[in-house]
């Protein structure tokens, strides 16, 4: 059972680091759709797949989203006798963000384990919190966004993960007259409470409270069609002990605004 939980956690890690992003919601009546390919690896393990999502602002300041869905092509370890697999439809996350002030947004995400048997995490979880973002007027074209959230997972397969807190931020700069926007981000995950599992009626702990994980990403995007079609490339490095462990990953995608 725990091998399956560990594998599913790694697969789930290829979802977004946060909500849709760290910046303000779209204007009322505006939306976007994104699709991209990801490839993650760590030593002799790797996974790859297609990830899609969409968002739309129903009214001013209220944005709904569908995140992290798609198709997992593989997740396997390169070794003799390893039981590999991990292909099939991915789990789905439904999100909502609401701008309560020009620079402050509150959000809530619900992860739904609807993916294939070898891909799904089997876990429903809620991730909720707040964001703060603003342009840096002293440097035209530069902006930053931050996020703080709490992740709470529901019990599944006699296992319940501990409560996690996530703190993150991203800095982006649009190069004048070029349209390329390099960005860099960092996120810290910290396990506040111990994960537990039911051992034939006896609750046992994993002694994982206090575990930490750091995610760092570096990338760029470029509007090939101004304000309509944005190409995105990103590299991330993950290190720590919050469920999904160490990994490096690449993502290349496109976001279409409508």
């Amino acid at each position: 059972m725990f091998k399956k939980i560990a594998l599913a956690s790694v697969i789930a890690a290829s979802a977004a680091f946060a909500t849709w992003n760290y910046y303000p919601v779209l204007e009322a009546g505006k939306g976007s759709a994104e699709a991209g390919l990801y490839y993650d690896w760590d030593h002799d393990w790797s996974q790859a797949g297609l990830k899609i999502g969409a968002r739309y602002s129903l009214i001013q300041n209220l944005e709904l989203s569908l995140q992290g869905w798609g198709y997992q092509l593989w997740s396997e370890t390169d070794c003799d006798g390893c039981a590999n697999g991990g292909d099939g439809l991915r789990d789905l996350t439904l999100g909502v963000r609401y701008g309560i002030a020009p620079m402050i947004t509150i959000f809530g995400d619900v992860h739904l384990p609807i993916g294939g048997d070898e891909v799904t995490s089997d876990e429903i979880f809620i991730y909720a919190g707040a964001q703060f973002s603003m342009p840096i007027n002293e440097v035209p074209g530069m902006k930053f966004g931050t996020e703080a959230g709490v992740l709470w997972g529901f019990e599944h397969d006699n296992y319940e993960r501990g409560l996690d807190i996530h703190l993150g931020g991203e800095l982006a700069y649009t190069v004048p007259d070029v349209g390329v926007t390099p960005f860099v981000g960092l996120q810290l995950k910290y396990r506040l409470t111990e994960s537990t599992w039911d051992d034939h009626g006896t609750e046992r702990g994993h002694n994982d409270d206090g575990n930490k994980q750091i995610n760092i990403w570096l990338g760029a995007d470029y509007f090939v069609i101004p304000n309509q079609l944005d190409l995105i490339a990103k590299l991330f490095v993950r290190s720590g002990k919050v469920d999904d462990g160490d990994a490096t990953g690449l993502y290349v995608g496109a976001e279409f605004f409508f």
Side-chain angles (χ1 to χ4, degrees):
M1 178 183 70
F2 292 110
K3 181 178 180 181
K4 179 181 179 181
I5 291 171
L7 175 61
S9 296
V10 170
I11 293 169
S14 61
F17 290 113
T19 49
W20 189 277
N21 59 31
Y22 288 163
Y23 303 110
V25 301
L26 297 174
E27 297 178 0
K30 302 289 186 179
S32 73
E34 182 175 346
L37 298 172
Y38 61 88
Y39 175 67
D40 306 332
W41 71 93
D42 181 53
H43 298 292
D44 56 358
W45 167 84
S46 67
Q47 68 176 11
L50 168 69
K51 185 167 59 176
I52 62 175
R55 58 174 171 161
Y56 183 75
S57 289
L58 287 175
I59 59 175
Q60 192 63 28
N61 298 323
L62 178 63
E63 180 184 276
L64 305 180
S65 63
L66 177 157
Q67 306 167 45
W69 202 43
Y71 193 87
Q72 177 90 19
L73 298 175
W74 79 79
S75 178
E76 62 185 19
T77 300
D78 184 13
C79 67
D80 293 334
C82 288
N84 291 315
D87 63 309
L89 288 176
R90 292 169 51 93
D91 289 345
L92 171 68
T93 298
L94 301 178
V96 57
R97 295 198 298 160
Y98 185 76
I100 61 175
M103 295 184 291
I104 301 175
T105 303
I106 57 176
F107 66 86
D109 288 349
V110 179
H111 177 87
L112 302 176
I114 65 170
D117 290 343
E118 295 183 340
V119 175
T120 181
S121 67
D122 287 329
E123 179 187 30
I124 297 173
F125 65 76
I126 296 173
Y127 178 54
Q131 301 173 327
F132 175 84
S133 62
M134 64 178 290
I136 300 176
N137 296 327
E138 292 78 10
V139 184
M142 183 169 286
K143 63 181 179 178
F144 76 92
T146 61
E147 177 176 290
V150 174
L151 189 149
W152 175 38
F154 291 83
E155 183 178 350
H156 66 290
D157 296 332
N158 297 321
Y159 171 85
E160 184 174 1
R161 82 158 84 196
L163 195 68
D164 291 346
I165 184 170
H166 295 180
L167 301 173
E170 183 177 282
L171 182 69
Y173 175 66
T174 301
V175 180
D177 303 322
V178 177
V180 175
T181 303
F183 56 84
V184 60
L186 182 147
Q187 183 189 57
L188 170 67
K189 299 180 180 180
Y190 183 83
R191 178 135 300 164
L192 293 172
T193 61
E194 185 179 33
S195 301
T196 60
W197 57 286
D198 184 356
D199 182 15
H200 302 289
T202 301
E203 184 177 281
R204 301 191 184 277
H206 275 294
N207 194 32
D208 58 352
D209 49 322
N211 282 357
K212 298 180 291 292
Q213 183 185 91
I214 294 177
N215 289 273
I216 300 174
W217 60 95
L218 176 67
D221 66 84
Y222 175 68
F223 273 95
V224 293
I225 302 177
N227 301 316
Q228 189 170 13
L229 182 60
D230 189 23
L231 300 183
I232 307 161
K234 179 166 59 178
L235 166 71
F236 83 83
V237 178
R238 181 179 67 226
S239 177
K241 297 182 178 180
V242 179
D243 291 336
D244 38 34
D246 300 347
T248 303
L250 290 170
Y251 174 79
V252 178
E255 184 172 5
F256 177 76
F257 293 81
F258 54 89

